[in-house]
Structures are given as structure tokens and as C-alpha cells.
Amino acid sequence: MKNIIPKNKLNNLLSIPVLTLILSLILTFNLSAASSSGELSTSVIYEQEAERWQDQSLLELDFQQDLSANLNYYLEGALTLESYYQQDQKEREIDFEFKEAYLNYYTDRVDWRLGRQNFSWGSSYNINPLNYFNPIDQGAIDPFESRESVDGIRADYYPNFNWQLTGVLTQHAEIDELQSAVQLIRRRWQGYDFAASVFSGNSLQSVPAGRNFYPEVNKIGFDFKGDFSSKNIGLFSEVVYSDYQDSRLENTNEIIIGLDYKFENNLYLLGQYYYQQLPPVQAKANQLLILRAEKPFGYFHNWELNLISDLKKGMSVVRPSLIFSLNEGLDLETGAVLKLNQKKESSLNQLSQELLYLSLSKYF
């Protein structure tokens, strides 16, 4: 597939924050069809590798409003204030961003979405080979759960209840290149959902080759999910083949297969295996094991444990956390990111650094 639309056209088309606010003022002068929510949190973080303290305050607001029966918009903005303390030195940073900002337009068979958005393709946990579009936020406590939105256009066509055809055109977050993809979904076939997709654009991950660059690549992906056996054990898988257009890079395969199950005592367990070939010549494939466990306790509280283990290098990253519900909509969370048997050559070193944190969050 070829990118045939000039770059600047997408930039001009996707001035969504301004466009949505203008439409809101023109088409409606009341908030009767509006809904809003948000989060106010403050965190104290100790970064062990950098040996510094950080305090972080976050105000996040979500706003959605219907402009007509088949037109609405959604805005999610975040104001972040961070301070770093190291060796009697203090640095402060303040940032505001529209995390998502898009228009939805609905017709009888096609749903349109225009603007800054996240795309949740794939069925696996944390690591998604089918995540063609949204870069992970390396600065987050759990970067896989904090993906960066991109500007794009999405169209979902529903010929009937069981089938869905989706087309996407987005802009690459780093190099202003366009990405295009199509996905076909078949739901509820023998108890499973199946999806096949094709993608053309640039890789989300930079490849070191004298300098970091985002190579052109075509991808074919498949995924399925569903329950098997009478015990309702979940089964899911993703497979992606990448055809790199640079002669210095080799074509690759990525495979994920996993299981999850929730016991009668509400203990939830998930495990998945990830095999990832790397495009640079002579680079060895990654083999990762991802485990997750969580369980409520004391009626309102919850503990979680996440583990990513490099099966070849023997290194692991562990993320334990405890979440205490102090009141309705008020949570206290404490946790850590720990690296076990740390190996310099392991791909897990690219994840967030070791840290301890304490966070208080109010949801409204």
C-alpha cells in the first residue's frame, strides 16, 4: 500500500481541539447533553537508578457532548506538574496536553472518528504486536498502559452484527509520515472473535543503524480471543509478520499466545508468551514471559502483581502494587518497579527504571 495523501493535508484536517470547540459553540449553547469526569492525583516517586525524588501532580478532565443525534465530540486533557530533587537541586516542569480530542459521526452502517485518539487493536495484555499506531510512554510507571495518542481518521463499517471492517489513516508521531491500515473482524464464530489486518507506514520503534530511524514497513496481522472448555478459560493470540522495505533489515515475525482465568474467590491470573524477531541483521530474537495476578481483599481494596521475564537473558521486571479504597472515588496506591538479575543486554532495560511510589487519587 502507498501513502498517497500529502502530509500537510492531515495536519490541517486534524486541528481537532479548535474544531470541536467551535462546533460546540455554533451548534449548541447548553450543556444538557454533556457529561464530564476527571481525576486529581498527587504522587511521590523515588527513582532508584537516578537516585532522585520526584513529586508529580496530575489533573485530568474528560468531557463529552452530543451536538446532535448522530454527532458528538470527546476531549481528554491533562495538566501535569512535576518536580525533581537531586543533590540539593530542584527542577520543575509543567505540561498541558490534549490526550484525546476527536469527533464521532454515526450513520446507519459507518461510524466515523476524526482527531487525536488511541487504537486498541489486539487481544493480548501489555505487549501488543498489533499496536501499529500508538507509541508507549517510556516515562510512565507502567509504560505499556500509558500509550500516546496520535492524530488520525477512523471509519468502522458494520455490514451486520457479526462483521466489522475498519479503515485507519494516522500520522506517525515522530516523523510526520502517514500510516494506513485495514482490519476485518469476525465476532462470535464458534465462541471466538477473529481479526485480520494489513498495515503500511513506518515502524513505531526506531532501529539503530548509524542513527535512529523509523523504517518503512508493511505488516500483516492476525488475532483471536475467546473461551474454551467448560471452565471458561480465556485463550488469546496475536501474530504479526513485518516486511521491512530497507535492504539492511530482515523481515520479522511476532507471536503472542496466552491464557487467563478468574477463580471463584475472584483471584485473576493471566499468562502469555511473546516471541519477537528483531529486524537488524544478527540481532537475536526476544522471548518474554508475561504474568499478571490480582485479587480484591477487605471488600474494597485490591493487590496486583505484574511480571515480565526475559527467558533468554534471565532478567525480570516486577511491578507489585496495593490499592486501598479510602472512600468512594478516593484511592491510595503504593507500589514499586523492580529489576531482578539485571542484564545490560536484555531488552527489558528499555522499560521504566526501578522506582518506589506512593499515590493519592480522587476520581470525580
Side-chain angles (χ1 to χ4, degrees):
M1 292 184 291
K2 297 289 186 180
N3 292 329
I4 59 175
I5 299 179
K7 303 176 191 177
N8 59 346
K9 285 190 177 180
L10 192 62
N11 282 331
N12 295 335
L13 188 60
L14 299 177
S15 302
I16 292 304
V18 175
L19 177 62
T20 52
L21 291 175
I22 292 174
L23 283 173
S24 176
L25 292 173
I26 293 175
L27 299 178
T28 182
F29 294 92
N30 64 77
L31 299 180
S32 59
S35 61
S36 62
S37 61
E39 175 187 354
L40 176 63
S41 68
T42 182
S43 304
V44 177
I45 303 169
Y46 178 66
E47 300 174 352
Q48 293 179 279
E49 295 176 37
E51 295 184 342
R52 67 177 183 179
W53 288 92
Q54 173 189 359
D55 65 66
Q56 181 184 89
S57 298
L58 170 70
L59 174 61
E60 187 173 287
L61 296 174
D62 304 347
F63 186 82
Q64 180 171 332
Q65 184 175 11
D66 294 333
L67 302 177
S68 67
N70 56 358
L71 179 68
N72 65 49
Y73 69 86
Y74 174 81
L75 298 174
E76 179 183 353
L79 178 66
T80 306
L81 174 64
E82 295 178 316
S83 299
Y84 300 91
Y85 306 87
Q86 186 176 32
Q87 297 179 350
D88 298 326
Q89 294 183 349
K90 182 178 180 179
E91 298 180 13
R92 277 186 177 167
E93 297 178 0
I94 186 169
D95 179 63
F96 175 80
E97 65 171 333
F98 277 106
K99 302 183 72 172
E100 290 193 89
Y102 53 77
L103 280 170
N104 288 318
Y105 179 67
Y106 307 106
T107 66
D108 290 340
R109 292 291 182 88
V110 182
D111 294 344
W112 295 88
R113 177 169 293 178
L114 170 67
R116 183 161 299 169
Q117 53 191 293
N118 270 299
F119 300 89
S120 55
W121 289 17
S123 54
S124 59
Y125 172 69
N126 253 344
I127 297 176
N128 291 100
L130 285 171
N131 175 31
Y132 301 140
F133 312 104
N134 300 106
I136 64 173
D137 183 359
Q138 296 284 357
I141 292 176
D142 189 345
F144 292 110
E145 291 188 352
S146 301
R147 294 181 178 174
E148 300 173 359
S149 300
V150 292
D151 296 333
I153 304 170
R154 170 178 173 173
D156 295 313
Y157 171 62
Y158 301 92
N160 57 52
F161 183 76
N162 292 321
W163 290 90
Q164 177 182 338
L165 179 64
T166 299
V168 170
L169 182 68
T170 71
Q171 185 172 1
H172 195 285
E174 296 295 332
I175 58 176
D176 297 330
E177 293 291 343
L178 295 183
Q179 322 279 67
S180 56
V182 175
Q183 182 186 59
L184 179 65
I185 300 175
R186 171 64 163 95
R187 294 189 176 89
R188 297 172 181 82
W189 187 80
Q190 304 295 324
Y192 290 90
D193 294 345
F194 292 86
S197 58
V198 292
F199 166 86
S200 180
N202 292 74
S203 172
L204 278 183
Q205 289 78 39
S206 62
V207 175
R211 61 180 180 85
N212 286 342
F213 76 110
Y214 298 86
E216 293 185 20
V217 62
N218 297 322
K219 297 190 177 194
I220 300 176
F222 302 92
D223 97 282
F224 75 89
K225 60 182 178 181
D227 296 332
F228 76 97
S229 86
S230 59
K231 295 181 181 284
N232 293 324
I233 298 174
L235 175 66
F236 53 89
S237 180
E238 294 183 34
V239 178
V240 173
Y241 171 74
S242 299
D243 177 19
Y244 288 91
Q245 305 303 294
D246 193 304
S247 59
R248 296 169 294 176
L249 303 177
E250 296 184 337
N251 299 334
T252 64
N253 291 290
E254 296 177 79
I255 301 171
I256 278 186
I257 186 166
L259 300 168
D260 67 348
Y261 183 69
K262 190 171 186 178
F263 295 86
E264 292 183 359
N265 63 355
N266 289 322
L267 172 64
Y268 174 75
L269 296 179
L270 176 147
Q272 65 184 34
Y273 168 77
Y274 178 44
Y275 174 79
Q276 178 195 29
Q277 294 178 332
L278 301 174
V281 178
Q282 306 300 327
K284 296 182 179 180
N286 287 323
Q287 296 185 52
L288 305 179
L289 178 66
I290 298 98
L291 301 174
R292 174 178 174 82
E294 65 172 295
K295 187 180 185 300
F297 68 95
Y299 297 103
F300 304 108
H301 316 303
N302 198 62
W303 63 260
E304 299 179 4
L305 180 65
N306 288 278
L307 168 72
I308 303 179
S309 182
D310 187 333
L311 298 179
K312 295 181 67 176
K313 301 297 190 296
M315 178 181 170
S316 298
V317 175
V318 184
R319 291 189 175 91
S321 64
L322 287 171
I323 304 170
F324 299 94
S325 179
L326 304 180
N327 206 333
E328 184 176 358
L330 181 64
D331 290 346
L332 177 68
E333 179 176 350
T334 181
V337 177
L338 307 172
K339 295 182 179 180
L340 307 179
N341 194 26
Q342 188 168 357
K343 300 290 181 64
K344 185 177 180 180
E345 63 274 16
S346 174
S347 62
L348 297 184
N349 274 313
Q350 300 174 6
L351 302 179
S352 57
Q353 63 172 312
E354 289 189 298
L355 52 85
L356 305 171
Y357 68 92
L358 180 68
S359 178
L360 182 65
S361 300
K362 173 63 179 177
Y363 302 94
F364 52 89

